[in-house]
Amino acid sequence: MLQRTPLFAAHQRSQARFVTFGGWELPVHFTSIVEEHHAVRRAAGLFDISHMGEFLVTGPGAGDFLNHALTNDVAKLAPGQGQYTLLCNARGGVVDDLYLYRLKPDDYLLIVNAARITADWEWLQTQVDHAPTPGGFKLRNAAAEHGAVAVQGPRVAEFIDRVIPGGSIGGALAPRVTALQKNQIGGFVFRGASLWVARTGYTGEDGFEVFAPADMIEAVWDRMLEVGAAHGLQPAGLGARDTLRTEMGYPLYGHELSEDLTPLEAGLGAFVSFEKGEFLGRQPLVTQKTFGVARRCVAFRVTEKSAPPRPGYPICHPGPERDRVGAVVSGTQSPSLGVGIGMGYVGVDFAKPGQALTILIRGQAAPAVVVRRPIYQPAGPGEAPPSAAPKPS
């Protein structure tokens, strides 16, 4: 039985096209993937992210437990701040990648991937008794209680203060939503209901995520569209979310990440805090850091006209022998750049920026080159969007 978000009826009224994703029936697009992608890059897009899970960890031992369970250093967070982090197994493989917000000194919110809610919850439950201060915290799965939307794009800051007026009452103290800084979260009031607003994002553009009671999220969605329409806001689905994150080189669980792949292999070593002490999976990761990894996730750009690369396509040596050196894990035609782009795992000898590769696309050889992430560089304030692919460096 497929799950549906509290916004399913609203999406039906908007004639969205639905797909199955992680056990959920979700909109893949409302108009077209390319149109919604450009709306986010040029103006604003509104995404339903209610399928993502929310765990609450509270109590005086909550921070110590999370520092034991997660790779990043929870102690670096002040109330009202968030960080990207990973949950690993004992082998150093990634159980999930997630966002952690510190709401109050002893209250934390975990935002986890929809397809990993059960796996994450069960894994965290097995670690409760191994916490540095067992019994000093409570762990609660609040996924069914919340809905969430993400509004992303360079024009979002023009209208979101009208959608959610007033200052914050918890978390990061701010006189208005747009006063939040990157990776901050604040508690606000919307039509008498308390909700959390974070300034994070998964598209490379400026944007906000709103976490509200499930029975209020449709009112938030409708108000966003009402106020944002004059600023180019459009509803957007999973298709645009995927092309946007691929242009940024951001990982997606089940593609760049799995329980058999480590953060160091995925190129996410910046989110592993070795100096904080013991945490789940630390020793295998220390070994990899000391002796190196055999494979690495790289971003690439196809350099000639071709069909788009797709997950599973072979990555080969650029020579005439076309020896296989890896495989594509994410691939698409970049709407912003007009070329095929993607990510894949290759042997470390082929992982340096500027390295030539061959992608076998439907059996045809497509020349490609390893590039630094992000593959696409969003325009800054007052800048025109790039019209050509970045040169490899």
Side-chain angles (χ1 to χ4, degrees), residues 86-102:
L86 301 112
L87 177 66
C88 289
N89 57 31
R91 304 187 308 277
V94 178
V95 177
D96 201 5
D97 66 325
L98 45 90
Y99 243 88
L100 172 69
Y101 296 102
R102 190 175 189 179

Side-chain angles (χ1 to χ4, degrees), residues 100-146:
L100 172 69
Y101 296 102
R102 190 175 189 179
L103 306 180
K104 300 177 182 178
D106 295 327
D107 290 7
Y108 297 84
L109 171 65
L110 287 170
I111 306 298
V112 305
N113 285 304
R116 303 298 293 173
I117 293 174
T118 299
D120 291 2
W121 180 253
E122 291 177 350
W123 180 237
L124 286 171
Q125 287 288 334
T126 67
Q127 300 303 315
V128 167
D129 292 337
H130 303 289
T133 54
F137 62 94
K138 293 182 179 179
L139 180 63
R140 183 162 70 90
N141 185 344
E145 303 169 20
H146 295 90

Side-chain angles (χ1 to χ4, degrees), residues 250-272:
Y250 291 159
L252 177 65
Y253 198 90
H255 291 249
E256 289 72 29
L257 302 173
S258 77
E259 294 198 33
D260 296 317
L261 296 166
T262 74
L264 301 190
E265 292 172 322
L268 299 173
F271 306 101
V272 180

Side-chain angles (χ1 to χ4, degrees), residues 48-382:
D48 179 5
I49 57 170
S50 302
H51 55 295
M52 301 187 75
E54 295 88 17
F55 299 162
L56 292 169
V57 190
T58 60
D64 288 341
F65 170 68
L66 290 168
N67 240 4
H68 162 74
L70 304 172
T71 60
N72 215 333
D73 190 354
V74 176
K76 293 180 179 179
L77 295 178
Q81 292 183 330
Q83 64 183 198
Y84 179 78
T85 186
L86 301 112
L87 177 66
C88 289
N89 57 31
R91 304 187 308 277
V94 178
V95 177
D96 201 5
D97 66 325
L98 45 90
Y99 243 88
L100 172 69
Y101 296 102
R102 190 175 189 179
L103 306 180
K104 300 177 182 178
D106 295 327
D107 290 7
Y108 297 84
L109 171 65
L110 287 170
I111 306 298
V112 305
N113 285 304
R116 303 298 293 173
I117 293 174
T118 299
D120 291 2
W121 180 253
E122 291 177 350
W123 180 237
L124 286 171
Q125 287 288 334
T126 67
Q127 300 303 315
V128 167
D129 292 337
H130 303 289
T133 54
F137 62 94
K138 293 182 179 179
L139 180 63
R140 183 162 70 90
N141 185 344
E145 303 169 20
H146 295 90
V149 299
V151 57
Q152 298 277 300
R155 300 192 65 185
V156 172
E158 297 175 13
F159 62 84
I160 193 169
D161 289 336
R162 289 179 55 208
V163 177
I164 305 172
S168 62
I169 57 173
L173 297 181
R176 58 192 177 279
V177 170
T178 52
L180 292 172
Q181 301 300 304
K182 181 72 172 176
N183 291 331
Q184 283 190 327
I185 187 169
F188 292 82
V189 175
F190 174 82
R191 296 182 181 176
S194 297
L195 46 74
W196 292 97
V197 182
R199 195 169 196 167
T200 312
Y202 198 56
T203 63
E205 304 293 342
D206 187 21
F208 301 83
E209 297 74 46
V210 181
F211 306 98
D215 61 358
M216 283 297 297
I217 199 65
E218 187 171 345
V220 174
W221 176 272
D222 290 343
R223 182 61 176 160
M224 284 281 189
L225 291 175
E226 178 188 0
V227 176
H231 304 267
L233 177 66
Q234 293 183 212
L238 290 178
R241 193 162 182 241
D242 192 57
T243 56
L244 290 158
R245 70 97 191 168
T246 302
E247 287 186 346
M248 298 308 297
Y250 291 159
L252 177 65
Y253 198 90
H255 291 249
E256 289 72 29
L257 302 173
S258 77
E259 294 198 33
D260 296 317
L261 296 166
T262 74
L264 301 190
E265 292 172 322
L268 299 173
F271 306 101
V272 180
S273 181
F274 290 101
E275 68 275 8
K276 71 175 181 176
E278 281 302 316
F279 58 89
L280 288 171
R282 183 179 188 276
Q283 192 52 55
L285 296 177
V286 168
T287 300
Q288 282 193 341
K289 184 179 181 181
T290 302
F291 297 102
V293 297
R295 58 186 172 181
R296 192 177 297 279
C297 185
V298 300
F300 64 82
R301 176 173 56 86
V302 177
T303 56
E304 295 182 7
K305 186 176 181 179
S306 73
R310 298 298 184 196
Y313 285 1
I315 300 177
C316 300
H317 190 283
E321 300 84 1
R322 296 183 189 167
D323 294 330
R324 183 169 177 147
V325 299
V328 176
V329 289
S330 290
T332 190
Q333 182 78 4
S334 166
S336 300
L337 301 174
V339 297
I341 62 170
M343 288 175 280
Y345 277 89
V346 297
V348 290
D349 291 342
F350 296 89
K352 293 181 180 180
Q355 169 67 49
L357 300 170
T358 295
I359 315 294
L360 290 186
I361 300 177
R362 302 176 188 170
Q364 300 297 311
V369 63
V370 174
V371 295
R372 297 188 186 277
R373 290 181 262 194
I375 304 171
Y376 166 84
Q377 183 67 52

